[in-house]
Amino acid sequence: MASYKHKKVITIGIVNELTGLSVRQIRYYEERGLIYPDRSKNGTRKYSFSDIETLMNIAEQREEGVQTREIKHNMLKKKNKQKVKEEMLRGQINAHFHQR
């Protein structure tokens, strides 16, 4: 079951109010592949609290002059590092239980 943080239930208007980002900026970050909202049956974008945190992080970096392609590159690096950590942990757990 997904935690409340990852449930995509927040509309773009609410995201706009919470983040201070314009609807145009939010859509632009989606176009750049920095954020991935779900869509309702009628096409309404739906975001999670986790998406809002990501958008706030993107906005902070943009204020510091970081380009969106660089932000995306850093996000992918971070995601890959996390995957490697998870795989290493899984390997350690498997090795531990196979030694017994």
Side-chain angles (χ1 to χ4, degrees), residues 2-4 6 10 13 17 21 24 30 34-35 55 59 61 63 69 75 80 84 87-89 91 93:
S3 85
Y4 79 92
H6 300 290
I10 306 165
E17 287 184 47
L21 295 170
R24 187 169 182 260
E30 178 185 356
L34 299 173
I35 194 92
L55 284 166
Q61 290 183 65
E63 284 179 14
R69 70 177 175 275
M75 288 170 78
N80 287 337
V84 169
E87 288 172 12
M88 287 174 58
L89 182 59
I93 290 169

Side-chain angles (χ1 to χ4, degrees), residues 26 29-30 33-37 47 50-52 54-55 58 75:
I26 297 165
Y29 296 144
E30 178 185 356
L34 299 173
I35 194 92
Y36 301 95
Y47 299 86
S50 180
D51 291 332
I52 291 170
T54 299
L55 284 166
I58 292 166
M75 288 170 78

Side-chain angles (χ1 to χ4, degrees), residues 67-92:
Q67 298 295 314
T68 54
R69 70 177 175 275
E70 199 175 337
I71 294 169
K72 186 172 184 174
H73 176 76
N74 292 337
M75 288 170 78
L76 290 172
K77 264 180 30 179
K78 186 177 178 182
K79 191 178 275 188
N80 287 337
K81 281 183 183 179
Q82 184 62 32
K83 276 185 180 179
V84 169
K85 283 181 184 178
E86 289 171 4
E87 288 172 12
M88 287 174 58
L89 182 59
R90 236 181 259 118
Q92 290 173 348

